[in-house]
């Protein structure tokens, strides 16, 4: 009887213990679900510090292996032979994402890396879920940004420790150049992880985008190009992949005349007919055609072909850009699509039709005064037209919106330049470059200011930096020609003006500068040929502006 009573007591105690454990697990599950819910809500509302605190509490909860409520809500799976617990990954992802949003990239990577090691166990036979790929993207992207952060810190430390005030301008330029050339120390580590994912067929659009960025930084540009194309084939709306693709094409097209056609062939048929392809073609035209000689037929058909430059082809190609953008407004978007208007403004700006470009920019500002994209180009127009009042008002308003944007710094730089205060203009162009060392127009504008200040050494530094960033930008080559001409070094100037003419063979200003340089070298026959070329181009341009070749704007302004 005593043994029976003891057994009954043990059973009762075991039952009570089980009930207590179940209650405890249920309590933990409730707390976990509440934390997940509020973390998501705080993230959506931008309450980043609250999200971070809640995330730290979330990952400190004990793991419960059967969380049916979680699986039901999120439709996750724990396949792959139970090697990957996606519930645990999810909680770590929520916390790490809050750290990422607060720019704590190193800690973000550390939190994610702790749980991701099992993912690469038998990865060759396992297919990763979309969530796991998203998890890995955040892990590697945070590591990449951590490397960029450390680069900035290293450059800033160098800058702060330099106290030679006499060489302040040169030091600043050298500092910015070092920022461009210093390599992210985590590139090869990230590349090896992404290689493994690629070889096991576990990539998606976002991972291919990151792979392309890494390969581009490692100067493996052709492989990088293929990665961006694959990224777009997976997800045509990933705009950042289109932008990187255009930048690479701009850089590589000089050495491969068939690059555009070969690139286009790699797109899936679905992508070729996607509306994003029209956006791509119009932006490609603006970025490549207006910075160099390379030219392609841009039409509504599925083709892109290189062609020689002539004024009629320029006019026809610009008309095709108008047609493409107009088609997007008519059939997909509304007349209030400000991106399309900004592309039209840039198109007319590069054609030096400043009045029409200004009209578009002012329409955009009227609709959305806080949109800063391309407004530094608008300030260039006001500068050229010497509209001091408008430029002053623009600089004042933009500074109130965001004083730490590259566009803002360039606009204020233009304002001071127009006032004749070139030292202050240089200061603001330097600020722009500290924010973005690869902002091309800031380098060229700073070079122009140094020319005005007769500081030819600093001007050469600035223009050469621009050429290093984009070797196809004619403005930097032209600026170098001007600088060496000021130094009475016509042989050097001749080389740089020739480069500008190669890139901008339809621009009469380039030929006039080259002719003047030949004249200084007493090579009169060459000078006459260049002057004649400049005159012919100038006459053709005037005929197009006054005759039937002028582009007709088919988009109509609508009231706000």
């Amino acid at each position: 009887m005593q043994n029976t009573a003891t057994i009954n007591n043990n059973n009762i105690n075991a039952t009570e213990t089980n009930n207590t454990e179940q209650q405890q697990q249920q309590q933990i599950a409730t707390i976990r679900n509440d934390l997940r819910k509020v973390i998501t809500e705080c993230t959506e509302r931008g309450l980043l510090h609250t999200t971070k605190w809640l995330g730290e509490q979330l990952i400190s909860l004990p793991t419960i292996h059967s969380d049916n409520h979680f699986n039901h809500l999120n439709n996750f799976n724990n396949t792959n032979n139970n090697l990957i617990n996606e519930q645990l990954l999810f909680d770590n992802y929520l916390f790490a994402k809050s750290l990422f949003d607060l720019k704590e990239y190193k800690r973000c990577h550390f939190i994610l890396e702790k749980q991701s090691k099992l993912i690469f166990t038998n990865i060759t036979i396992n297919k990763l879920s979309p969530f796991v790929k998203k998890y890995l993207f955040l892990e590697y992207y945070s590591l990449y940004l951590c490397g960029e952060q450390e680069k900035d810190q290293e450059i800033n430390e160098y800058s702060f420790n330099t106290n030679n005030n006499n060489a302040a301008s040169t030091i600043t330029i050298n500092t910015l150049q070092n920022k461009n050339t210093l390599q992210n120390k985590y590139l090869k580590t990230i590349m090896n992880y992404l290689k493994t994912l690629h070889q096991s067929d576990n990539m998606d659009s976002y991972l291919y985008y990151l792979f392309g960025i890494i390969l581009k930084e490692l100067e493996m540009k052709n492989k990088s190009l293929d990665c961006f194309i694959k990224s777009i084939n997976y997800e045509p709306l990933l705009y950042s992949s289109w932008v990187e693709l255009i930048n690479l094409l701009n850089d590589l097209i000089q050495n491969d005349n068939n690059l555009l056609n070969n690139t286009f062939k790699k797109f899936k048929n679905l992508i070729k007919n996607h509306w994003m392809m029209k956006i791509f073609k119009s932006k490609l035209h603006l970025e490549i055609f207006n910075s160099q000689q390379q030219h392609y037929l841009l039409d509504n058909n599925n083709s892109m072909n290189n062609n020689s430059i002539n004024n009629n082809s320029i006019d026809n190609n610009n008309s095709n850009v108008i047609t493409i953008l107009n088609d997007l407004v008519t059939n997909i978007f509304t007349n209030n699509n400000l991106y399309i208007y900004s592309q039209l403004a840039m198109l007319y700006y590069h054609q030096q039709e400043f009045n029409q470009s200004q009209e578009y920019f002012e329409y955009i500002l009227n609709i959305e005064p806080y949109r800063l994209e391309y407004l530094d180009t608008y300030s260039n127009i006001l500068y050229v037209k010497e509209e001091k009042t408008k430029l002053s008002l623009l600089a004042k308003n933009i500074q109130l919106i965001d004083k730490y944007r590259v566009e803002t710094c360039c606009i204020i730089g233009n304002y001071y330049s127009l006032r004749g205060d070139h030292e202050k203009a240089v200061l603001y162009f330097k600020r722009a470059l500290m924010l973005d060392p690869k902002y091309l127009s800031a380098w060229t504008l700073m070079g122009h200011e140094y020319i005005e200040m007769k500081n030819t050494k600093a001007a050469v530094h600035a223009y050469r930096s621009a050429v290093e960033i984009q070797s196809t930008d004619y403005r930097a080559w032209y600026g170098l020609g001007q600088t060496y001409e000021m130094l009475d070094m016509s042989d050097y100037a001749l080389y740089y003006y020739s480069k500008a003419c190669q890139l901008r063979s339809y621009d009469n200003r380039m030929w006039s500068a080259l002719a003047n340089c030949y004249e200084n070298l007493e090579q009169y026959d060459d000078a006459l040929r260049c002057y004649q070329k400049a005159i012919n181009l100038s006459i053709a341009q005037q005929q197009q502006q006054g005759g039937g070749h002028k582009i007709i704007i088919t988009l109509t302004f609508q009231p706000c």
Side-chain angles (χ1 to χ4, degrees), residues 94 140 157 173 244 247 287 327 341 380 385:
L94 286 179
Y140 304 145
E157 187 174 350
I173 293 173
E244 292 295 339
N247 290 338
E287 295 295 329
D327 181 63
Y341 279 112
N380 292 343
K385 296 177 69 176

Side-chain angles (χ1 to χ4, degrees), residues 382-525:
L382 298 179
Y383 179 92
V384 170
K385 296 177 69 176
E386 298 186 0
E387 296 192 18
K388 292 184 180 180
T389 303
K390 281 190 175 182
L391 184 53
S392 172
L393 186 62
L394 177 67
K396 181 180 178 181
N397 291 339
I398 296 304
Q399 189 172 30
L400 292 174
I401 295 169
D402 188 350
K403 65 169 65 176
Y404 297 112
R405 280 277 293 262
V406 288
E407 294 91 344
T408 303
C409 295
C410 288
I411 290 168
I412 297 174
N414 274 338
Y415 165 70
Y416 280 116
S417 178
L418 189 58
R419 285 182 51 182
D421 194 341
H422 301 296
E423 288 187 1
K424 272 195 175 180
V426 166
L427 175 64
Y428 277 96
F429 293 134
K430 284 180 183 177
R431 286 186 183 180
L433 291 166
M434 291 303 292
L435 293 168
D436 183 358
K438 295 184 178 180
Y439 202 69
L440 189 65
S441 63
W443 282 112
T444 54
L445 289 171
M446 187 163 68
H448 299 339
E449 294 308 305
Y450 281 129
I451 290 290
E452 294 293 331
M453 296 164 66
K454 311 299 183 192
N455 188 344
T456 52
K457 184 178 180 181
V460 168
H461 269 290
Y463 289 132
R464 282 184 176 167
S465 297
V467 168
E468 286 175 10
I469 294 168
Q470 186 173 305
S471 62
T472 57
D473 187 72
Y474 75 93
R475 300 169 192 84
W477 293 107
Y478 185 80
L480 283 167
Q482 283 184 309
T483 307
Y484 281 103
E485 198 169 24
M486 283 179 60
L487 294 169
D488 292 325
M489 300 172 70
S490 296
D491 287 332
Y492 286 91
L494 184 67
Y495 169 76
Y496 294 117
Y497 281 141
S498 296
K499 291 287 290 185
C501 279
Q502 289 173 18
L503 294 169
R504 195 84 168 176
S505 62
Y506 51 89
D507 192 330
N508 65 296
R509 296 171 302 168
M510 305 299 117
W511 290 102
S512 294
L514 187 62
N516 187 63
C517 199
Y518 275 126
E519 190 175 357
N520 290 337
L521 291 168
E522 298 182 359
Q523 298 180 26
Y524 298 118
D525 289 341

Side-chain angles (χ1 to χ4, degrees), residues 55-168:
E56 199 163 22
Q57 313 317 307
L58 178 62
I59 65 168
S60 68
L61 291 173
T63 303
I64 300 175
H65 291 287
S66 60
D67 192 344
N68 294 327
H69 181 63
F70 172 79
N71 285 331
H72 173 70
L73 284 179
N74 295 281
N75 198 24
F76 279 31
N77 60 76
N78 288 326
T79 55
N80 302 341
N81 301 320
N82 294 321
L83 289 174
I84 304 173
N85 185 344
E86 292 193 8
Q87 300 173 28
L88 186 59
L89 292 183
F90 181 74
D91 291 345
N92 279 271
Y93 176 84
L94 286 179
F95 178 44
K97 181 61 170 60
S98 71
L99 297 172
F100 183 91
D101 292 338
L102 288 166
K103 299 185 178 181
E104 296 184 31
Y105 301 126
K106 201 160 198 171
R107 190 180 179 193
C108 173
H109 173 260
F110 175 76
I111 295 297
L112 294 169
E113 187 184 34
K114 285 197 300 183
Q115 302 298 332
S116 67
K117 293 175 183 177
L118 280 176
I119 294 173
F120 285 91
T121 306
N122 297 326
I123 194 171
T124 54
I125 60 174
N126 294 318
K127 293 301 175 187
L128 302 180
S129 70
F131 169 73
V132 174
K133 293 176 183 178
K134 179 170 73 171
Y135 183 99
L136 291 175
F137 174 85
L138 189 64
E139 178 184 341
Y140 304 145
Y141 191 46
S142 62
L143 183 60
Y144 169 75
L145 292 179
C146 174
E148 294 299 299
Q149 224 175 32
E150 290 176 2
K151 275 171 53 178
D152 289 341
Q153 290 168 0
E154 189 174 336
I155 292 298
N156 289 336
E157 187 174 350
Y158 168 80
S159 180
F160 293 147
N161 291 335
T162 305
N163 297 314
N164 188 350
N165 295 326
N166 293 329

